[in-house]
Amino acid sequence: MKQLTEIQTKALKDLICRIADDELILGHRNSEWTALVPILEEDIAFSSMAQDKIGHSLALYQLLNKLGEPDPDAIAFTRKEKDFKCCHLVEYPIGDYDFSLMRHFLFDKSEAIRFDLLSRSSFEDLANIAKKFRGELKYHTMHADTWLVQLGNATEESKARMQSALNQCFPLALGIFEPGEYDEVLSSENIFPGEKVLQGMWLDSIKIILDSANLSIPDIDTSDRSYGGRKGYHTEYLKPLLDEMTEVYSIDPNAEW
Amino acid sequence: MYGGGYIFEESKNGHSEEEDQIKLQKFEERIAAGEKIEPSDWMPAEYRKQLIRMIEQHAHSEIIGALPEGTWITRAPGFRRKLALMAKVQDEVGHAQLLYSAAETLGKPREQMINDLITGKSKYSNVFNYPAVTWADTAVIAWLIDAGAIINQVANSKGSYGPYCRALERICLEESFHLKYGHDNVVFLATGTSQQRQMVQDALIRWWPPIMHFFGPSDKISVHTETLMRWKVKMASNDDMRQKFLDMYVPKIWELGLTIPDPKLKKNNETGKWEYTEPDWEEFKRVINGDGPCNKERLAVRRRAEEKGEWVRNALLRPSEKYTVPLS
């Protein structure tokens, strides 16, 4: 790719930061389930996927570092809440397993498509990372789909729980696709086709599984989309999460841990 | 992570006499010849009982042991530590899975074992009833508790029951990475800033008594286990394992300039044995019987997790399927 212009660099950094922050925060949240998941085998699977997410965020912060930002630890462990660009969906506490599974399903479906789109990005470094992540996401979505279909068709309790988790998560998940100020640049430079395109593909993709799971998708037009995260306006849950995450690191950010 | 030693019940005298003496003799000959006993082989009832008890407690120790370290995943400083700790605790949960499966081959279903854990009927390693107060505690646990566990588990992997030995071989491979992770972590703290150094020194002071308790009561006061040793259920005496641990790790701790809180600790060059202040076995008993700093919390967390997850497990049940004891 040719030398990036200033606006292109800004647009790229914004995009990468959004994705990386989502991955870090959701990976962090999902890791809270370690040793507490309803079934041992699932505990191990969920931890693997959480590790993948943290690993993805690290690789993306390394890319930001290449674009002139500080090193990954400094980005993740010293920024203030308002500098994070994650969506609200990933910030919520883990709740019960219905909520965490539904979030995992909705989010990872979007990630799988996002990385597929990014694997064709004109920004080669990002395309290469996306190709690798896409392979991992295939297993994450396979995992999520299997659970959704099973729980959506099992007991009265599991059906009711999954429907109410979907009702709660859906407006939050729409926040993943909050329009960004650089969408046009990203799309015209073939870096990323944009959140609107992604949302359309995502809706098609979740519908297939939600139908098999006998769950009804809330009406998108009347859903109160949870926007703001991409611009630094977060839920009440992010600050305590960051305080906890940086508790040891901030004892001495210059020390080697 | 696990240390045995205190898990054996005193056998009732004469239990072996109720067994078929010819079968028993053959069984003992096989073990003496180094053969492994497999799930479908004949075995004395007492052998089965003690093995279930031991493997089950080992499995519980893994799942409960994941709790003190697990709470630090969200606070691990930096990507390197965060990713490593996530993987480590995941391993411990995986060990529980392997071990519950090994115990199941002897006829006790996993659900029943977990039920015995959360009702307090079944025990787990005492060491997890102590809190991981700071980040440095997790470093000390990952290094020294896992080191102790390896000593215990390498010995047990040479035992007589096939499924348990095979599970342990795999577990030991993973534990050896945990030990490296823990050591690396302690080295960074011990050679870091004065504050980091103080943190790890304080953690070592807190964890030394539980580490000394780890292998179980001294041979002088522990249950006689000749039969279990002959059957290769118990593979080494508590004191022998403790000596081995001290031999391997005290020099490494001193090398880092850390102080071990036992003024009597030294190696007697004539006997080749370590001398130390006798650990407080009364405290050990008290903690094992439920009165440690974290017993109630650990069981409450486990119980809550079981209760909160019940609807998920119910949603996976297929009423048409019957439980079968796995073979390996």
mmCIF file of all heavy atoms in Angstrom, chain B residues 210-244:
data_model
loop_
_atom_site.group_PDB
_atom_site.id
_atom_site.type_symbol
_atom_site.label_atom_id
_atom_site.label_comp_id
_atom_site.label_asym_id
_atom_site.label_seq_id
_atom_site.Cartn_x
_atom_site.Cartn_y
_atom_site.Cartn_z
ATOM 1 N N PRO B 210 1.821 -22.756 54.889
ATOM 2 C CA PRO B 210 1.035 -23.678 54.036
ATOM 3 C C PRO B 210 1.907 -24.556 53.130
ATOM 4 O O PRO B 210 1.561 -25.706 52.870
ATOM 5 C CB PRO B 210 0.184 -22.732 53.171
ATOM 6 C CG PRO B 210 0.116 -21.456 53.924
ATOM 7 C CD PRO B 210 1.383 -21.357 54.720
ATOM 8 N N ILE B 211 3.040 -24.032 52.685
ATOM 9 C CA ILE B 211 3.934 -24.843 51.848
ATOM 10 C C ILE B 211 4.493 -26.012 52.666
ATOM 11 O O ILE B 211 4.561 -27.141 52.199
ATOM 12 C CB ILE B 211 5.082 -23.976 51.261
ATOM 13 C CG1 ILE B 211 4.547 -23.086 50.136
ATOM 14 C CG2 ILE B 211 6.228 -24.851 50.755
ATOM 15 C CD1 ILE B 211 5.488 -21.986 49.683
ATOM 16 N N MET B 212 4.863 -25.730 53.908
ATOM 17 C CA MET B 212 5.392 -26.803 54.760
ATOM 18 C C MET B 212 4.300 -27.823 55.104
ATOM 19 O O MET B 212 4.575 -29.004 55.315
ATOM 20 C CB MET B 212 6.006 -26.220 56.039
ATOM 21 C CG MET B 212 7.303 -25.463 55.807
ATOM 22 S SD MET B 212 8.598 -26.502 55.078
ATOM 23 C CE MET B 212 9.170 -27.419 56.519
ATOM 24 N N HIS B 213 3.057 -27.348 55.152
ATOM 25 C CA HIS B 213 1.932 -28.267 55.408
ATOM 26 C C HIS B 213 1.585 -29.105 54.181
ATOM 27 O O HIS B 213 0.898 -30.106 54.291
ATOM 28 C CB HIS B 213 0.668 -27.450 55.760
ATOM 29 C CG HIS B 213 0.668 -26.917 57.148
ATOM 30 N ND1 HIS B 213 -0.024 -25.771 57.497
ATOM 31 C CD2 HIS B 213 1.254 -27.356 58.293
ATOM 32 C CE1 HIS B 213 0.131 -25.533 58.782
ATOM 33 N NE2 HIS B 213 0.906 -26.471 59.290
ATOM 34 N N PHE B 214 2.040 -28.634 53.039
ATOM 35 C CA PHE B 214 1.531 -29.129 51.751
ATOM 36 C C PHE B 214 1.611 -30.643 51.586
ATOM 37 O O PHE B 214 0.721 -31.265 51.036
ATOM 38 C CB PHE B 214 2.304 -28.424 50.625
ATOM 39 C CG PHE B 214 1.774 -28.688 49.250
ATOM 40 C CD1 PHE B 214 0.546 -28.175 48.851
ATOM 41 C CD2 PHE B 214 2.494 -29.427 48.326
ATOM 42 C CE1 PHE B 214 0.048 -28.394 47.582
ATOM 43 C CE2 PHE B 214 2.009 -29.654 47.051
ATOM 44 C CZ PHE B 214 0.782 -29.131 46.676
ATOM 45 N N PHE B 215 2.699 -31.232 52.069
ATOM 46 C CA PHE B 215 2.875 -32.675 51.840
ATOM 47 C C PHE B 215 2.212 -33.535 52.923
ATOM 48 O O PHE B 215 2.324 -34.757 52.899
ATOM 49 C CB PHE B 215 4.365 -33.012 51.741
ATOM 50 C CG PHE B 215 5.022 -32.318 50.579
ATOM 51 C CD1 PHE B 215 5.718 -31.132 50.754
ATOM 52 C CD2 PHE B 215 4.906 -32.831 49.295
ATOM 53 C CE1 PHE B 215 6.299 -30.483 49.673
ATOM 54 C CE2 PHE B 215 5.474 -32.188 48.206
ATOM 55 C CZ PHE B 215 6.179 -31.006 48.400
ATOM 56 N N GLY B 216 1.556 -32.870 53.860
ATOM 57 C CA GLY B 216 0.836 -33.614 54.883
ATOM 58 C C GLY B 216 1.665 -33.795 56.144
ATOM 59 O O GLY B 216 2.867 -33.506 56.161
ATOM 60 N N PRO B 217 1.023 -34.284 57.217
ATOM 61 C CA PRO B 217 1.675 -34.406 58.527
ATOM 62 C C PRO B 217 2.938 -35.256 58.485
ATOM 63 O O PRO B 217 3.091 -36.102 57.603
ATOM 64 C CB PRO B 217 0.623 -35.102 59.389
ATOM 65 C CG PRO B 217 -0.665 -34.905 58.687
ATOM 66 C CD PRO B 217 -0.354 -34.771 57.242
ATOM 67 N N SER B 218 3.788 -35.022 59.435
ATOM 68 C CA SER B 218 5.047 -35.753 59.496
ATOM 69 C C SER B 218 4.763 -37.252 59.636
ATOM 70 O O SER B 218 3.733 -37.660 60.184
ATOM 71 C CB SER B 218 5.874 -35.217 60.671
ATOM 72 O OG SER B 218 5.967 -36.175 61.673
ATOM 73 N N ASP B 219 5.673 -38.053 59.143
ATOM 74 C CA ASP B 219 5.474 -39.507 59.146
ATOM 75 C C ASP B 219 5.209 -40.049 60.544
ATOM 76 O O ASP B 219 4.528 -41.047 60.720
ATOM 77 C CB ASP B 219 6.693 -40.212 58.531
ATOM 78 C CG ASP B 219 6.862 -39.848 57.053
ATOM 79 O OD1 ASP B 219 5.905 -39.274 56.481
ATOM 80 O OD2 ASP B 219 7.928 -40.130 56.493
ATOM 81 N N LYS B 220 5.782 -39.351 61.535
ATOM 82 C CA LYS B 220 5.628 -39.806 62.918
ATOM 83 C C LYS B 220 4.169 -39.821 63.350
ATOM 84 O O LYS B 220 3.764 -40.641 64.163
ATOM 85 C CB LYS B 220 6.411 -38.871 63.867
ATOM 86 C CG LYS B 220 7.911 -39.082 63.796
ATOM 87 C CD LYS B 220 8.631 -38.043 64.659
ATOM 88 C CE LYS B 220 8.697 -36.716 63.911
ATOM 89 N NZ LYS B 220 9.511 -35.689 64.496
ATOM 90 N N ILE B 221 3.386 -38.877 62.808
ATOM 91 C CA ILE B 221 1.999 -38.779 63.289
ATOM 92 C C ILE B 221 0.964 -39.119 62.227
ATOM 93 O O ILE B 221 -0.227 -38.999 62.442
ATOM 94 C CB ILE B 221 1.701 -37.368 63.864
ATOM 95 C CG1 ILE B 221 1.964 -36.282 62.802
ATOM 96 C CG2 ILE B 221 2.486 -37.099 65.117
ATOM 97 C CD1 ILE B 221 1.412 -34.911 63.177
ATOM 98 N N SER B 222 1.402 -39.525 61.033
ATOM 99 C CA SER B 222 0.381 -39.781 60.010
ATOM 100 C C SER B 222 -0.046 -41.248 60.005
ATOM 101 O O SER B 222 0.616 -42.130 60.547
ATOM 102 C CB SER B 222 0.844 -39.321 58.629
ATOM 103 O OG SER B 222 2.028 -39.960 58.280
ATOM 104 N N VAL B 223 -1.173 -41.467 59.355
ATOM 105 C CA VAL B 223 -1.799 -42.786 59.296
ATOM 106 C C VAL B 223 -0.858 -43.794 58.641
ATOM 107 O O VAL B 223 -0.192 -43.480 57.664
ATOM 108 C CB VAL B 223 -3.098 -42.667 58.467
ATOM 109 C CG1 VAL B 223 -3.715 -44.036 58.209
ATOM 110 C CG2 VAL B 223 -4.087 -41.741 59.154
ATOM 111 N N HIS B 224 -0.823 -45.003 59.198
ATOM 112 C CA HIS B 224 0.040 -46.027 58.593
ATOM 113 C C HIS B 224 -0.509 -46.478 57.251
ATOM 114 O O HIS B 224 -1.690 -46.731 57.109
ATOM 115 C CB HIS B 224 0.179 -47.224 59.544
ATOM 116 C CG HIS B 224 0.933 -46.848 60.777
ATOM 117 N ND1 HIS B 224 2.266 -46.563 60.756
ATOM 118 C CD2 HIS B 224 0.512 -46.649 62.038
ATOM 119 C CE1 HIS B 224 2.648 -46.221 61.981
ATOM 120 N NE2 HIS B 224 1.603 -46.254 62.770
ATOM 121 N N THR B 225 0.362 -46.555 56.290
ATOM 122 C CA THR B 225 -0.136 -46.795 54.934
ATOM 123 C C THR B 225 0.653 -47.890 54.221
ATOM 124 O O THR B 225 0.822 -47.838 53.021
ATOM 125 C CB THR B 225 -0.045 -45.485 54.112
ATOM 126 O OG1 THR B 225 1.281 -44.980 54.229
ATOM 127 C CG2 THR B 225 -1.034 -44.456 54.581
ATOM 128 N N GLU B 226 1.108 -48.900 54.996
ATOM 129 C CA GLU B 226 1.928 -49.963 54.378
ATOM 130 C C GLU B 226 1.202 -50.650 53.221
ATOM 131 O O GLU B 226 1.774 -50.846 52.152
ATOM 132 C CB GLU B 226 2.350 -51.033 55.399
ATOM 133 C CG GLU B 226 3.401 -50.590 56.396
ATOM 134 C CD GLU B 226 2.774 -49.892 57.596
ATOM 135 O OE1 GLU B 226 1.539 -49.719 57.616
ATOM 136 O OE2 GLU B 226 3.539 -49.499 58.509
ATOM 137 N N THR B 227 -0.063 -51.007 53.447
ATOM 138 C CA THR B 227 -0.800 -51.719 52.400
ATOM 139 C C THR B 227 -0.919 -50.836 51.157
ATOM 140 O O THR B 227 -0.701 -51.293 50.034
ATOM 141 C CB THR B 227 -2.219 -52.088 52.895
ATOM 142 O OG1 THR B 227 -2.088 -52.715 54.152
ATOM 143 C CG2 THR B 227 -2.914 -53.013 51.918
ATOM 144 N N LEU B 228 -1.251 -49.557 51.399
ATOM 145 C CA LEU B 228 -1.424 -48.660 50.257
ATOM 146 C C LEU B 228 -0.112 -48.449 49.519
ATOM 147 O O LEU B 228 -0.098 -48.250 48.303
ATOM 148 C CB LEU B 228 -2.012 -47.324 50.721
ATOM 149 C CG LEU B 228 -3.436 -47.429 51.268
ATOM 150 C CD1 LEU B 228 -3.878 -46.107 51.870
ATOM 151 C CD2 LEU B 228 -4.410 -47.857 50.174
ATOM 152 N N MET B 229 0.992 -48.494 50.242
ATOM 153 C CA MET B 229 2.281 -48.357 49.569
ATOM 154 C C MET B 229 2.599 -49.631 48.786
ATOM 155 O O MET B 229 3.127 -49.566 47.682
ATOM 156 C CB MET B 229 3.385 -47.978 50.558
ATOM 157 C CG MET B 229 3.243 -46.512 50.983
ATOM 158 S SD MET B 229 4.543 -45.880 52.037
ATOM 159 C CE MET B 229 5.581 -45.017 50.910
ATOM 160 N N ARG B 230 2.230 -50.784 49.351
ATOM 161 C CA ARG B 230 2.458 -52.033 48.634
ATOM 162 C C ARG B 230 1.593 -52.080 47.359
ATOM 163 O O ARG B 230 2.009 -52.573 46.329
ATOM 164 C CB ARG B 230 2.131 -53.218 49.553
ATOM 165 C CG ARG B 230 2.557 -54.573 48.961
ATOM 166 C CD ARG B 230 2.483 -55.691 49.972
ATOM 167 N NE ARG B 230 1.125 -56.068 50.306
ATOM 168 C CZ ARG B 230 0.556 -55.906 51.501
ATOM 169 N NH1 ARG B 230 1.232 -55.359 52.489
ATOM 170 N NH2 ARG B 230 -0.691 -56.290 51.712
ATOM 171 N N TRP B 231 0.410 -51.533 47.462
ATOM 172 C CA TRP B 231 -0.491 -51.504 46.300
ATOM 173 C C TRP B 231 -0.167 -50.355 45.329
ATOM 174 O O TRP B 231 -0.871 -50.132 44.351
ATOM 175 C CB TRP B 231 -1.946 -51.349 46.769
ATOM 176 C CG TRP B 231 -2.511 -52.605 47.377
ATOM 177 C CD1 TRP B 231 -1.953 -53.847 47.367
ATOM 178 C CD2 TRP B 231 -3.752 -52.719 48.070
ATOM 179 N NE1 TRP B 231 -2.773 -54.734 48.007
ATOM 180 C CE2 TRP B 231 -3.893 -54.077 48.455
ATOM 181 C CE3 TRP B 231 -4.772 -51.824 48.419
ATOM 182 C CZ2 TRP B 231 -5.001 -54.542 49.158
ATOM 183 C CZ3 TRP B 231 -5.875 -52.288 49.114
ATOM 184 C CH2 TRP B 231 -5.990 -53.638 49.484
ATOM 185 N N LYS B 232 0.846 -49.616 45.649
ATOM 186 C CA LYS B 232 1.258 -48.454 44.841
ATOM 187 C C LYS B 232 0.120 -47.461 44.626
ATOM 188 O O LYS B 232 -0.111 -46.979 43.525
ATOM 189 C CB LYS B 232 1.879 -48.902 43.507
ATOM 190 C CG LYS B 232 3.186 -49.666 43.709
ATOM 191 C CD LYS B 232 3.885 -49.947 42.399
ATOM 192 C CE LYS B 232 5.129 -50.801 42.648
ATOM 193 N NZ LYS B 232 5.705 -51.317 41.417
ATOM 194 N N VAL B 233 -0.594 -47.218 45.726
ATOM 195 C CA VAL B 233 -1.566 -46.123 45.729
ATOM 196 C C VAL B 233 -0.844 -44.898 46.277
ATOM 197 O O VAL B 233 -0.875 -43.821 45.710
ATOM 198 C CB VAL B 233 -2.791 -46.479 46.602
ATOM 199 C CG1 VAL B 233 -3.694 -45.267 46.788
ATOM 200 C CG2 VAL B 233 -3.554 -47.636 45.968
ATOM 201 N N LYS B 234 -0.168 -45.098 47.392
ATOM 202 C CA LYS B 234 0.678 -44.044 47.954
ATOM 203 C C LYS B 234 2.115 -44.381 47.590
ATOM 204 O O LYS B 234 2.555 -45.506 47.774
ATOM 205 C CB LYS B 234 0.513 -43.999 49.469
ATOM 206 C CG LYS B 234 1.252 -42.865 50.132
ATOM 207 C CD LYS B 234 0.843 -42.770 51.595
ATOM 208 C CE LYS B 234 1.727 -41.811 52.370
ATOM 209 N NZ LYS B 234 1.719 -40.449 51.858
ATOM 210 N N MET B 235 2.820 -43.403 47.032
ATOM 211 C CA MET B 235 4.115 -43.721 46.430
ATOM 212 C C MET B 235 5.320 -43.218 47.214
ATOM 213 O O MET B 235 6.443 -43.613 46.940
ATOM 214 C CB MET B 235 4.165 -43.170 44.999
ATOM 215 C CG MET B 235 3.161 -43.823 44.072
ATOM 216 S SD MET B 235 3.398 -45.605 43.916
ATOM 217 C CE MET B 235 4.923 -45.652 43.002
ATOM 218 N N ALA B 236 5.114 -42.287 48.114
ATOM 219 C CA ALA B 236 6.264 -41.789 48.881
ATOM 220 C C ALA B 236 5.738 -41.254 50.200
ATOM 221 O O ALA B 236 4.577 -40.852 50.286
ATOM 222 C CB ALA B 236 6.973 -40.684 48.111
ATOM 223 N N SER B 237 6.572 -41.257 51.203
ATOM 224 C CA SER B 237 6.115 -40.760 52.509
ATOM 225 C C SER B 237 6.091 -39.230 52.499
ATOM 226 O O SER B 237 6.803 -38.587 51.727
ATOM 227 C CB SER B 237 7.016 -41.285 53.623
ATOM 228 O OG SER B 237 8.100 -40.400 53.823
ATOM 229 N N ASN B 238 5.254 -38.675 53.354
ATOM 230 C CA ASN B 238 5.105 -37.210 53.415
ATOM 231 C C ASN B 238 6.445 -36.528 53.675
ATOM 232 O O ASN B 238 6.790 -35.538 53.024
ATOM 233 C CB ASN B 238 4.122 -36.835 54.525
ATOM 234 C CG ASN B 238 2.742 -37.410 54.283
ATOM 235 O OD1 ASN B 238 2.476 -37.978 53.218
ATOM 236 N ND2 ASN B 238 1.857 -37.272 55.253
ATOM 237 N N ASP B 239 7.191 -37.076 54.629
ATOM 238 C CA ASP B 239 8.467 -36.439 54.980
ATOM 239 C C ASP B 239 9.482 -36.549 53.842
ATOM 240 O O ASP B 239 10.252 -35.609 53.605
ATOM 241 C CB ASP B 239 9.045 -37.076 56.251
ATOM 242 C CG ASP B 239 8.327 -36.567 57.498
ATOM 243 O OD1 ASP B 239 7.690 -35.492 57.403
ATOM 244 O OD2 ASP B 239 8.391 -37.230 58.544
ATOM 245 N N ASP B 240 9.461 -37.680 53.143
ATOM 246 C CA ASP B 240 10.403 -37.821 52.024
ATOM 247 C C ASP B 240 10.127 -36.772 50.944
ATOM 248 O O ASP B 240 11.043 -36.181 50.371
ATOM 249 C CB ASP B 240 10.290 -39.227 51.399
ATOM 250 C CG ASP B 240 10.968 -40.277 52.280
ATOM 251 O OD1 ASP B 240 11.624 -39.867 53.262
ATOM 252 O OD2 ASP B 240 10.815 -41.477 51.998
ATOM 253 N N MET B 241 8.835 -36.558 50.667
ATOM 254 C CA MET B 241 8.509 -35.562 49.644
ATOM 255 C C MET B 241 8.871 -34.150 50.100
ATOM 256 O O MET B 241 9.360 -33.340 49.326
ATOM 257 C CB MET B 241 7.028 -35.660 49.270
ATOM 258 C CG MET B 241 6.735 -36.888 48.416
ATOM 259 S SD MET B 241 5.109 -36.888 47.688
ATOM 260 C CE MET B 241 4.118 -37.253 49.110
ATOM 261 N N ARG B 242 8.627 -33.891 51.384
ATOM 262 C CA ARG B 242 8.969 -32.567 51.913
ATOM 263 C C ARG B 242 10.473 -32.332 51.823
ATOM 264 O O ARG B 242 10.939 -31.267 51.418
ATOM 265 C CB ARG B 242 8.492 -32.452 53.372
ATOM 266 C CG ARG B 242 8.448 -31.030 53.864
ATOM 267 C CD ARG B 242 7.643 -30.816 55.146
ATOM 268 N NE ARG B 242 7.276 -32.023 55.834
ATOM 269 C CZ ARG B 242 6.025 -32.480 55.926
ATOM 270 N NH1 ARG B 242 5.029 -31.810 55.423
ATOM 271 N NH2 ARG B 242 5.761 -33.611 56.554
ATOM 272 N N GLN B 243 11.258 -33.362 52.155
ATOM 273 C CA GLN B 243 12.727 -33.255 52.057
ATOM 274 C C GLN B 243 13.152 -32.966 50.609
ATOM 275 O O GLN B 243 14.020 -32.145 50.358
ATOM 276 C CB GLN B 243 13.382 -34.550 52.540
ATOM 277 C CG GLN B 243 13.415 -34.711 54.054
ATOM 278 C CD GLN B 243 14.372 -33.727 54.739
ATOM 279 O OE1 GLN B 243 15.348 -33.265 54.136
ATOM 280 N NE2 GLN B 243 14.084 -33.379 55.978
ATOM 281 N N LYS B 244 12.533 -33.663 49.694
ATOM 282 C CA LYS B 244 12.884 -33.491 48.291
ATOM 283 C C LYS B 244 12.594 -32.059 47.836
ATOM 284 O O LYS B 244 13.384 -31.425 47.135
ATOM 285 C CB LYS B 244 12.084 -34.490 47.442
ATOM 286 C CG LYS B 244 12.625 -34.655 46.061
ATOM 287 C CD LYS B 244 12.005 -35.856 45.366
ATOM 288 C CE LYS B 244 12.583 -35.954 43.956
ATOM 289 N NZ LYS B 244 11.891 -36.941 43.142
#
